[in-house]
């Protein structure tokens, strides 16, 4: 097995983007010394100081270990080696037990629910930001 370095800055960027947080917002949460440019430079660093990792992990509400250990290449390799076109755990399933149209409708409903949750979270964040701006 290769001894590949984990790029912590890139991992912070991935988690931040998955959570829908902009660099400016992360900089604001980190304090007055931070700005969007500084976050951008931080996300380019391969290793990040422990105290900064701890602050960011608390803001993003993810464990420090997730930032330190996430290796996207390994995750992609596991998925690529486990699933094939039409395969289920390396066993090809020519007769699915579901109707494909039902799956499409289910995914559409899940997507709508996700959008609704995202809008609600955005509204909550905007309300929080307004409170902070009023202070």
């Amino acid at each position: 097995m290769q001894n590949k370095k984990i790029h912590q800055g890139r991992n912070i960027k991935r988690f931040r983007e998955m959570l829908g947080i902009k660099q400016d917002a992360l900089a604001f949460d980190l304090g007055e010394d931070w700005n969007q440019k500084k976050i951008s430079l931080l996300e380019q660093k391969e290793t990040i100081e422990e105290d900064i990792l701890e602050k960011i992990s608390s803001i993003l509400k993810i464990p420090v270990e997730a930032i330190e250990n996430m290796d996207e290449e390994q995750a992609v390799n596991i998925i690529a080696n486990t699933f094939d076109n039409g395969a289920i755990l390396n066993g090809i399933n020519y007769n699915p037990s579901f109707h494909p149209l039902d799956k499409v409708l289910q995914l559409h409903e899940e997507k709508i629910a996700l959008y609704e949750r995202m809008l609600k979270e955005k509204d909550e964040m905007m309300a929080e930001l307004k409170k902070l701006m009023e202070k």
Side-chain angles (χ1 to χ4, degrees):
M1 190 162 167
Q2 313 176 45
N3 188 10
K4 187 169 190 275
K5 283 282 250 177
I6 305 296
H7 197 290
Q8 295 175 348
R10 221 175 289 138
N11 287 346
I12 288 173
K13 180 179 180 179
R14 286 186 185 109
F15 283 117
R16 178 183 59 74
E17 288 175 342
M18 282 188 274
L19 295 168
I21 298 172
K22 299 279 186 197
Q23 288 178 333
D24 289 328
L26 182 57
F28 179 82
D29 288 341
L30 282 171
E32 292 179 10
D33 296 339
W34 289 87
N35 58 34
Q36 181 272 325
K37 178 75 173 165
K38 199 169 175 183
I39 296 295
S40 180
L41 293 171
L42 178 80
E43 291 177 350
Q44 295 173 25
K45 291 175 67 175
E46 190 167 323
T47 55
I48 297 169
E49 297 79 21
E50 191 69 31
D51 60 325
I52 295 173
L53 274 179
E54 289 175 11
K55 287 179 187 175
I56 291 173
S57 75
S58 110
I59 292 167
L60 299 179
K61 295 178 179 60
I62 58 170
V64 173
E65 294 79 20
I67 297 171
E68 293 175 328
N69 300 321
M70 185 178 98
D71 184 359
E72 189 173 13
E73 275 187 41
Q74 281 186 337
V76 169
N77 285 338
I78 290 169
I79 292 168
N81 292 330
T82 306
F83 295 100
D84 190 359
N85 187 17
I88 297 176
L89 297 176
N90 290 335
I92 297 176
N93 183 4
Y94 290 109
N95 298 313
S97 60
F98 58 87
H99 193 279
L101 189 56
D102 291 340
K103 275 293 186 193
V104 170
L105 291 173
Q106 177 189 355
L107 291 172
H108 180 69
E109 290 169 3
E110 289 173 5
K111 183 171 72 170
I112 289 172
L114 174 63
Y115 285 145
E116 289 172 350
R117 285 195 310 273
M118 289 172 62
L119 285 172
K120 181 181 175 192
E121 287 179 18
K122 179 195 69 93
D123 291 341
E124 290 170 357
M125 287 196 307
M126 291 302 291
E128 189 73 29
L129 185 58
K130 283 180 184 176
K131 285 181 191 175
L132 289 170
M133 290 175 66
E134 290 172 359
K135 289 185 181 180

